[in-house]
Amino acid sequence: MTMLLMLLIFGLPGFAFWLLVPGLDPIGRLVVASAASPTLVSVVAGVMLVTGVWSPGWGLVAVFLISGLTLPAALARRARSRPPVLPAVVPRQARPPVPAVPAAGPEENDEWIFHP
């Protein structure tokens, strides 16, 4: 029972943070999720202790509530950042080759000088 509870307490926030950072590669997402999950649990526990309302049941509810509010934000961001569907690329038609112009030699350039 304890292992299942630990999996829920740390797994749900980890999954929520995994979805929140889609731009990272899988190892980067794993690092962010595995660091943010215990941080969230610790912050919730610390805030509840400071305010004097600590209860294991309410701590679990608070972590689930924060993770539950993070999931819709992540899913909305994911739906908004989908790449647009691009139209099919139409291949260009090959242009006919341009005929080569013969290079002008020195005699062709000087003909106008010698004609009256």
Side-chain angles (χ1 to χ4, degrees):
M1 182 68 178
T2 304
M3 291 304 287
L4 179 63
L5 190 59
M6 293 296 282
L7 181 66
L8 283 174
I9 288 176
F10 291 108
L12 187 61
F15 180 68
F17 282 107
W18 174 277
L19 291 178
L20 219 93
V21 286
L24 297 177
D25 61 338
I27 293 184
R29 290 172 84 177
L30 181 65
V31 168
V32 168
S34 60
S37 181
T39 303
L40 176 67
V41 172
S42 300
V43 166
V44 166
V47 167
M48 290 181 81
L49 282 172
V50 167
T51 58
V53 292
W54 169 248
S55 166
W58 286 111
L60 184 66
V61 168
V63 169
F64 286 170
L65 183 67
I66 293 171
S67 298
L69 292 174
T70 306
L71 280 173
L75 294 175
R77 178 179 174 174
R78 185 176 183 185
R80 200 176 22 169
S81 66
R82 286 190 181 144
V85 178
L86 299 176
V89 177
V90 178
R92 289 184 169 180
Q93 295 179 352
R95 294 182 180 178
V98 178
V101 178
E107 66 279 345
E108 292 179 11
N109 289 339
D110 294 338
E111 282 184 4
W112 64 276
I113 299 174
F114 300 111
H115 292 290

